[in-house]
Amino acid sequence: MYHHVKKLMYTVNIGEPDPRFGNMLLEQFGGANGELAAAMQYSIQGFNCEDPARKDLLMDIGTEELSHLEVVGALIRMHLKPMKSDRAAAEADPLVSIAGGGGVALFNSVGDAWTADYLKITGDLAVDLHSNIAAEARAKIVYERLINFTDDQGTKEALQFLMTREITHMRAFTAALETMGKPRFSIGTIAPTEGLVDEYFNDSTGEGDEGEDGLADSIVEAAKLTKVDSEMFGGEGLDITPDSPVPDSEEVSKVDSTPVGRKPMGKPTILKKTGTRRK
Amino acid sequence: MYHHVKKLMYTVNIGEPDPRFGNMLLEQFGGANGELAAAMQYSIQGFNCEDPARKDLLMDIGTEELSHLEVVGALIRMHLKPMKSDRAAAEADPLVSIAGGGGVALFNSVGDAWTADYLKITGDLAVDLHSNIAAEARAKIVYERLINFTDDQGTKEALQFLMTREITHMRAFTAALETMGKPRFSIGTIAPTEGLVDEYFNDSTGEGDEGEDGLADSIVEAAKLTKVDSEMFGGEGLDITPDSPVPDSEEVSKVDSTPVGRKPMGKPTILKKTGTRRK
Amino acid sequence: MYHHVKKLMYTVNIGEPDPRFGNMLLEQFGGANGELAAAMQYSIQGFNCEDPARKDLLMDIGTEELSHLEVVGALIRMHLKPMKSDRAAAEADPLVSIAGGGGVALFNSVGDAWTADYLKITGDLAVDLHSNIAAEARAKIVYERLINFTDDQGTKEALQFLMTREITHMRAFTAALETMGKPRFSIGTIAPTEGLVDEYFNDSTGEGDEGEDGLADSIVEAAKLTKVDSEMFGGEGLDITPDSPVPDSEEVSKVDSTPVGRKPMGKPTILKKTGTRRK
Amino acid sequence: MYHHVKKLMYTVNIGEPDPRFGNMLLEQFGGANGELAAAMQYSIQGFNCEDPARKDLLMDIGTEELSHLEVVGALIRMHLKPMKSDRAAAEADPLVSIAGGGGVALFNSVGDAWTADYLKITGDLAVDLHSNIAAEARAKIVYERLINFTDDQGTKEALQFLMTREITHMRAFTAALETMGKPRFSIGTIAPTEGLVDEYFNDSTGEGDEGEDGLADSIVEAAKLTKVDSEMFGGEGLDITPDSPVPDSEEVSKVDSTPVGRKPMGKPTILKKTGTRRK
Amino acid sequence: MYHHVKKLMYTVNIGEPDPRFGNMLLEQFGGANGELAAAMQYSIQGFNCEDPARKDLLMDIGTEELSHLEVVGALIRMHLKPMKSDRAAAEADPLVSIAGGGGVALFNSVGDAWTADYLKITGDLAVDLHSNIAAEARAKIVYERLINFTDDQGTKEALQFLMTREITHMRAFTAALETMGKPRFSIGTIAPTEGLVDEYFNDSTGEGDEGEDGLADSIVEAAKLTKVDSEMFGGEGLDITPDSPVPDSEEVSKVDSTPVGRKPMGKPTILKKTGTRRK
Amino acid sequence: MYHHVKKLMYTVNIGEPDPRFGNMLLEQFGGANGELAAAMQYSIQGFNCEDPARKDLLMDIGTEELSHLEVVGALIRMHLKPMKSDRAAAEADPLVSIAGGGGVALFNSVGDAWTADYLKITGDLAVDLHSNIAAEARAKIVYERLINFTDDQGTKEALQFLMTREITHMRAFTAALETMGKPRFSIGTIAPTEGLVDEYFNDSTGEGDEGEDGLADSIVEAAKLTKVDSEMFGGEGLDITPDSPVPDSEEVSKVDSTPVGRKPMGKPTILKKTGTRRK
């Protein structure tokens, strides 16, 4: 159950309205990485979540993002105000001025309607937490770019407030993922094929205006992967020996989501991968 | 420059075609977390990338995903085949059968046209790598669910191959992020507000059929955050003291992307945050 | 500022899960006339609203719709549950089962992603209230159809609760519009052209399998309009004498929104239309 | 069957082309509340309509809106003309100039492709008429804003013509709804729950920069609703006693659409609600 | 100016309603290659057309397609009828049954909202005619597939009528293109680079489960192109000598559309390409 | 299997960056007729193609278009560069600057996300080749318009290269269609109704500001069609005698795609239409 209090989470003040900046700010209202996207992604993951602790966290943060939507909306309305009366300002975003009357609506800075295609909701808790960490990183960088494009002090401060909260949330989601106790690259319940999972395929090669081959070698090494060249160029190619998926071969957590597509049998037992599927 | 070789990266064989399963598989062809989404996200990040090592990596993996698109496309076509002649099969996906002639096209399992709104491309390297790690986790879980919904051995093996590669890529992107040498929660060039960044806002409370308060406490603690209650319920609320963003206050990496919105001045100097912005 | 309480506004219980009905119910979660659409339309109109009384009303109702979103989400999850383990159930909505893990997400019953194109937000208060009355009527009829397609008692009762609230809101929005004190067909500040506004154009004629001419005559009369036939068929056509728009010729309300596109000059004076624009 | 006559319903003349204004005008060609949206909404409702009188009306008005599409298209082309040769003009809308050759196409002022998601078609006649009344109000206000943003006399007159027609149609749809003889808040065939339908939920409270509580009281009273406070704040909450939907408990009209989801049995009998469902 | 006559262009009769077939038929109502797409593509090209003869043709055919929309809509409604009362039928398309009340709306067979992204309108007459020829070919094949999936005689006959018209229109558009008097591959006003335009790039090679190299040789020859291999595999690659575009180097027709992006100077003179741009 | 070589197919050099022109160029990166659209349309048609020769051709050209995507992307990035640091440049496309960090992404010039709705893939080979010929014509004219709007020599040359290739491909697809050996207007396997297919319906008539009747007569004649007037105006209307579709009545090619909706029976026999379906 939701409740609204007639007070902004952060009080917004600006100096001179800057309609084109208000237009830019719409990225954080109705844009792909904006506050509604965050609110919806976390809240709906929360609706679906089977683990009470992480459900609580998702609802806490999802609801805070709704409050941010209201704050950034108030900030934008202040900047858009000249669109109501000034033709030049109106040209900055005719959708806002002509169709929207100079107020906020769920569009981004170029007038694309907000779409749930922006959201990443898989119903697998660990996967969703990965998506949320990335979402917070994106929201942070977008706020920073907006800060860099304005000189208005009140606007800068409001954006600094909102930007800071994204890092807080990024830390919370990271802790939520790590305290699940899963190995770093453990996703779901079926382990990847041994051997093949360690092969890095070198699929962009040569030397030219777009770079040269081998530049990624140190990263490949850091990932403990082995570089394999394409058959196309005399390499041996990836190991494509057929391998059969082994149910419950991946290490899982007690709080993992119910796997999808399996006979219902309660939570999968937590076991070590034992299958020797290929030599 | 791209080249195509008339050979699948993984040879696909199936037993009996299963049109409704072919329809499900479209999630990995034209779906939000499918192979085209992966190929485009990484390749276009690669086009934009200013760091040669990570550009190489992005192009390697982006190109491999294109080859996966072809493999999963071949697998799907085998399963969709009955849609060409059988009315009942055709009903499983009339868009495929009537408009598409029973072949693959860039739609997901419910006929939504593939859209670039699925992609996460910010032009900030560290942020993009976060998005890619999450993208690989999502692709992995989707393959696993598909495996769980089929009994066809050849199909299972092909999906196991493709699923495995997602974990390889997840490891590669993680190494690419970590070898940038940035602190874990360092995004961009402006540090979050001290104090406020450590506050966790408890915005979903009470006790009822949707859970109870305080369940997330251990995660909040693991994240080294302090729980703050809403003013709405007698808490002190978040610290909303205005704080001004401090340029170059965040630790950056030598390979970070050019910050956006700042006067051009080459790469930002790598410095420790020193601003004492608030007590 | 928003707050969430861990309790559903209406406690949901169902008998046997019915995945295909759960799929139908998605119309009211992520569909064009569903609860998110209602919540967003009213709340964002509320953000923009300049009249304190109607802003209060919009925020009250917008927030209640968020709580409905949570209720209908809980109901749907109960019905979708078999999609997690049962292949036949999964086929009812592969987007939900394969990509979404059997939980709710912001899609309608055929998997279209929720889009802000569903919303009607013009920033003109009287117009927005008209849109809201219609939106409530649509939501009501959709709930009724869902009720008619299920036999599950708990489901029927939950839908009856939600359906009832739409009528309450329809009454509230109607009162909000009528207490503005505007004439029924007064929209904005420029009056329509006299004479022309009374002409009904008879643009579908003849007699055939799609009806016959003149059937609408009694309605035309009830609207106090005069039927005009097309020049194409010997009629005199609409009166197309050019007429110049007269600012402030329409009757407005003290609580009307600021007109868009006019020099800023505070609220327009409330005056009677006097312009004799055409004889 | 449709026919086209090579003559505009209103002859358009403009002075100096104004490409940025032409761009704004696209809202009424390919925008959410534009002429195609109106033409399609009414015509397709007309295709579906079971009542001959209102079908006639819907076809009359739907066809007139097609003629308006042509008029507003002619007006826009005149204003867009400089986009064909002038780089600065072309920048006003590169989609129009580069992809569209400087002509009209089904996009709005910010280049969003027209989508049927703009339309409101439920197949329930009374509901659809509500949607049409609101649609006309929206179209009217958009024309008025456009008038306010131009000084060109010929353009103003053309827009005044088109704007006037929206009020005519609003009157016609209102008469069509009222002459159905249904009570004002009667939608469909199932009555809302007594008691609950009279409760207004006070879900946005407090006092702050976004307003204060109780401001909507007079509207609530005008709607004959009783304000109920949330349990969250010591109120008694809405009456959530389960109530079972009662078929045919709502008053209907002889011309109502066939209810959906009920056993086919001809038109529902017109009866007074008698069910005493809850005290 | 449009007019509607209350008679279908082709009277539709069906035997037994077949709701799943009705659902398939929606491809031709609100689908990518359906009647609305055709009507809009041709009519709006007609609005923009500068050549009177082809404008007449575009309006004739665009208007006929509107009449087809009405016919196919009538056919679909007959097949969808059981969706109003029968739960199993309703499951065939819950968007139609629950949201649309069992009538037609602008969605395709899988519920995607019709979008103007389906249309191809460039404002260049010759190019648009090419697009129309292709559009008619697509519409024809879709009707044929629908015919093949039904046994209902009345339905087959109605579809045969509509299918036939597409071939008529294909012939008309072809004649409209050919009578422009342009060379076959003359598009616009700037000629392609000599030499380079004759080179066919062999960018998919090798031998494998997806074919072998050289299979297209006879087509390449028929097109009078010369096959060039990639540098990647020891070929000489395409001739990438920089070449400067030469205005008015392409042969044009007297009825060509005004070129875009050029100083306004009336129609370009019709001249032979003379530039010796590269040997 | 795909491979990437770190070299552009055409080396791009520009003089002064022109961000608003870079914005225009996005039409050819993420726009409806851009390089990704071409790459995807041909490659996926190639995946589906049953004829080895045309499959080879489709893969050759589809892959070349991917290389073009990279070239045009490189060109655009050069022009967009000032968006990273300059506020005025950033305003030219806030989606690119704020959300995308000044790099390329899959959006068109007005920020619409690339969608597979742009593609025309029917799975019928002859039809798809028609669509490809039209697609190349569109791509050509868009490149030409871009050339006309820039004065930068390096940019012009790069665009001339890309534009030239479209004509090459147009020739290749035309040869691929013609060498199938089908009659010009033969599509699919069911012949249109004789007589009716020769009737041209004169559905836009009269004389006015939008033209006059009969202007298309010479085209109608060139198409060997007979003009028929509407019953609405005393004409005899189209011949609507019901006609039953005759399987295999259309002439087909040995390389035609498998017809959809027919009992599987191998390729249809190639036979002359013999049915005397109507006199």
Side-chain angles (χ1 to χ4, degrees), chain A residues 10 12-13 21 25 28 35 71-72 75-76 79 139-140 142-166, chain B residues 190-193 196 243-245:
Chain A
Y10 181 95
V12 178
N13 290 299
F21 188 70
L25 283 167
Q28 293 294 58
E35 297 293 354
V71 172
V72 80
L75 180 62
I76 295 170
H79 281 295
K140 200 278 178 187
V142 172
Y143 273 125
E144 175 172 320
R145 288 167 179 176
L146 288 165
I147 288 171
N148 284 342
F149 274 126
T150 183
D151 288 327
D152 182 72
Q153 185 62 17
T155 302
K156 273 178 177 307
E157 288 168 2
L159 297 173
Q160 172 77 14
F161 171 80
L162 293 163
M163 184 186 80
T164 293
R165 301 306 298 157
E166 312 297 8
Chain B
I190 303 177
T193 297
L196 175 64
D243 181 33
S244 187

Side-chain angles (χ1 to χ4, degrees), chain B residues 2 26 43 55 62 66 77 125 131-132 134 154 171-172 179 182 185 204 213 225 250 256:
Chain B
Y2 288 86
L26 284 168
S43 300
K55 184 186 190 85
L66 270 182
R77 285 200 315 280
L125 185 52
S131 293
N132 297 357
R171 285 167 55 187
T179 53
K182 295 168 71 88
F185 303 111
S204 170
D213 198 15
L225 299 171
E250 189 54 273
D256 256 323

Side-chain angles (χ1 to χ4, degrees), chain A residues 7-26:
Chain A
K7 196 174 168 322
L8 294 177
M9 178 176 271
Y10 181 95
T11 307
V12 178
N13 290 299
I14 69 162
E16 200 67 26
D18 179 349
R20 288 201 176 264
F21 188 70
N23 172 255
M24 285 177 170
L25 283 167
L26 284 168

Side-chain angles (χ1 to χ4, degrees), chain D residues 1 3 5 70 84 114 116 261, chain E residues 1 3 5 70 84 114 116 261:
Chain D
M1 199 155 47
H3 193 76
V5 173
E70 195 184 18
K84 289 202 185 190
W114 191 91
Chain E
M1 200 153 49
H3 193 77
V5 173
E70 196 184 17
K84 289 202 186 189
W114 191 91

Side-chain angles (χ1 to χ4, degrees), chain C residues 165-183:
Chain C
R165 300 306 297 156
E166 313 298 8
I167 296 296
T168 305
H169 298 162
M170 194 181 176
R171 285 167 54 186
F173 287 130
T174 302
L177 177 61
E178 291 179 351
T179 54
M180 285 181 74
K182 295 167 73 85

Side-chain angles (χ1 to χ4, degrees), chain A residues 3-262:
Chain A
H3 194 76
H4 178 261
V5 173
K6 296 180 179 310
K7 196 174 168 322
L8 294 177
M9 178 176 271
Y10 181 95
T11 307
V12 178
N13 290 299
I14 69 162
E16 200 67 26
D18 179 349
R20 288 201 176 264
F21 188 70
N23 172 255
M24 285 177 170
L25 283 167
L26 284 168
E27 283 299 319
Q28 293 294 58
F29 191 80
N33 303 309
E35 297 293 354
L36 182 66
M40 287 298 121
Q41 181 161 310
Y42 310 150
S43 300
I44 292 172
Q45 288 174 1
F47 289 1
N48 290 325
C49 187
E50 299 167 326
D51 169 52
R54 283 157 193 84
K55 184 186 190 84
D56 188 12
L57 190 95
L58 288 161
M59 295 312 297
D60 279 337
I61 301 180
T63 309
E64 185 181 341
E65 305 286 15
L66 270 182
S67 302
H68 292 182
L69 182 72
E70 195 185 16
V71 172
V72 80
L75 180 62
I76 295 170
R77 285 200 314 280
M78 290 174 183
H79 281 295
L80 294 183
K81 210 170 178 188
M83 286 199 189
K84 289 200 187 191
S85 51
D86 180 49
R87 165 75 194 263
E91 287 172 4
D93 193 333
L95 183 68
V96 165
S97 52
I98 301 301
V104 288
L106 289 174
F107 297 96
N108 71 359
S109 66
V110 292
D112 300 323
W114 191 90
T115 160
D117 285 328
Y118 295 152
L119 307 185
K120 301 295 180 186
I121 299 173
T122 67
D124 182 279
L125 185 52
V127 173
D128 283 355
L129 291 170
H130 273 292
S131 293
N132 297 357
I133 293 165
E136 294 291 350
R138 291 192 299 267
K140 200 278 178 187
I141 201 73
V142 172
Y143 273 125
E144 175 172 320
R145 288 167 179 176
L146 288 165
I147 288 171
N148 284 342
F149 274 126
T150 183
D151 288 327
D152 182 72
Q153 185 62 17
T155 302
K156 273 178 177 307
E157 288 168 2
L159 297 173
Q160 172 77 14
F161 171 80
L162 293 163
M163 184 186 80
T164 293
R165 301 306 298 157
E166 312 297 8
I167 297 296
T168 305
H169 298 162
M170 194 182 175
R171 283 166 55 186
F173 287 130
T174 302
L177 177 61
E178 290 180 353
T179 54
M180 285 182 74
K182 294 167 72 89
R184 287 197 84 173
F185 303 111
S186 162
I187 299 290
T189 62
I190 304 178
T193 297
E194 284 171 27
L196 175 64
V197 77
D198 298 323
E199 293 179 355
Y200 180 86
F201 194 60
N202 188 24
D203 208 4
S204 169
T205 57
E207 196 167 321
D209 36 20
E210 292 296 300
E212 55 191 281
D213 197 14
L215 289 166
D217 285 357
S218 64
I219 300 170
V220 173
E221 205 174 310
K224 298 190 193 312
L225 298 171
T226 308
K227 188 160 82 170
V228 174
D229 282 308
S230 173
E231 307 89 306
M232 220 185 281
F233 296 97
E236 54 175 333
L238 291 172
D239 181 346
I240 54 168
T241 321
D243 181 33
S244 186
V246 180
D248 298 326
S249 50
E250 188 56 272
E251 287 185 74
V252 298
S253 154
K254 273 177 298 185
V255 299
D256 257 323
S257 303
T258 307
V260 171
R262 296 239 321 261

Side-chain angles (χ1 to χ4, degrees), chain E residues 119-194:
Chain E
L119 308 185
K120 302 295 180 187
I121 300 172
T122 67
D124 183 278
L125 184 53
V127 172
D128 283 356
L129 290 170
H130 274 292
S131 294
N132 297 358
I133 294 165
E136 294 292 350
R138 291 192 298 268
K140 199 278 178 186
I141 200 72
V142 173
Y143 274 124
E144 175 172 320
R145 288 167 179 174
L146 288 165
I147 287 171
N148 284 343
F149 274 126
T150 184
D151 288 327
D152 182 72
Q153 184 63 15
T155 302
K156 274 179 178 303
E157 288 168 2
L159 297 174
Q160 172 77 14
F161 171 80
L162 294 162
M163 185 186 79
T164 293
R165 301 305 298 157
E166 312 299 6
I167 296 297
T168 305
H169 299 162
M170 194 181 175
R171 284 167 55 187
F173 288 129
T174 301
L177 177 61
E178 290 180 352
T179 53
M180 285 181 73
K182 296 167 71 87
R184 287 197 83 174
F185 303 112
S186 163
I187 300 291
T189 62
I190 305 177
T193 298
E194 285 171 25

Side-chain angles (χ1 to χ4, degrees), chain C residues 120-276:
Chain C
K120 301 296 180 189
I121 300 172
T122 67
D124 182 278
L125 185 51
V127 173
D128 284 355
L129 291 170
H130 273 292
S131 294
N132 297 358
I133 292 164
E136 294 292 349
R138 292 192 298 267
K140 199 278 177 187
I141 200 73
V142 173
Y143 274 125
E144 175 172 320
R145 289 167 179 175
L146 288 164
I147 287 171
N148 283 341
F149 274 125
T150 183
D151 288 327
D152 182 73
Q153 184 63 16
T155 302
K156 273 178 179 303
E157 288 168 2
L159 296 174
Q160 172 77 13
F161 171 80
L162 293 163
M163 185 186 80
T164 293
R165 300 306 297 156
E166 313 298 8
I167 296 296
T168 305
H169 298 162
M170 194 181 176
R171 285 167 54 186
F173 287 130
T174 302
L177 177 61
E178 291 179 351
T179 54
M180 285 181 74
K182 295 167 73 85
R184 287 197 84 173
F185 303 112
S186 162
I187 300 289
T189 63
I190 304 178
T193 297
E194 285 170 26
L196 175 64
V197 77
D198 299 323
E199 293 179 355
Y200 180 85
F201 193 59
N202 188 24
D203 209 3
S204 171
T205 56
E207 195 167 322
D209 38 20
E210 293 297 299
E212 54 192 283
D213 198 14
L215 292 166
D217 285 358
S218 64
I219 301 170
V220 173
E221 204 174 311
K224 298 188 194 311
L225 299 171
T226 309
K227 189 160 82 169
V228 173
D229 282 307
S230 175
E231 308 88 306
M232 218 185 281
F233 295 97
E236 56 175 333
L238 291 171
D239 181 346
I240 53 169
T241 320
D243 180 35
S244 187
V246 180
D248 299 327
S249 49
E250 188 54 273
E251 288 185 72
V252 300
S253 153
K254 273 177 298 186
V255 298
D256 256 321
S257 303
T258 307
V260 171
R262 297 245 315 267
K263 299 270 165 5
M265 43 175 166
K267 291 278 177 178
T269 18
I270 300 167
L271 29 84
K272 286 293 290 179
K273 172 176 60 167
T274 57
T276 52

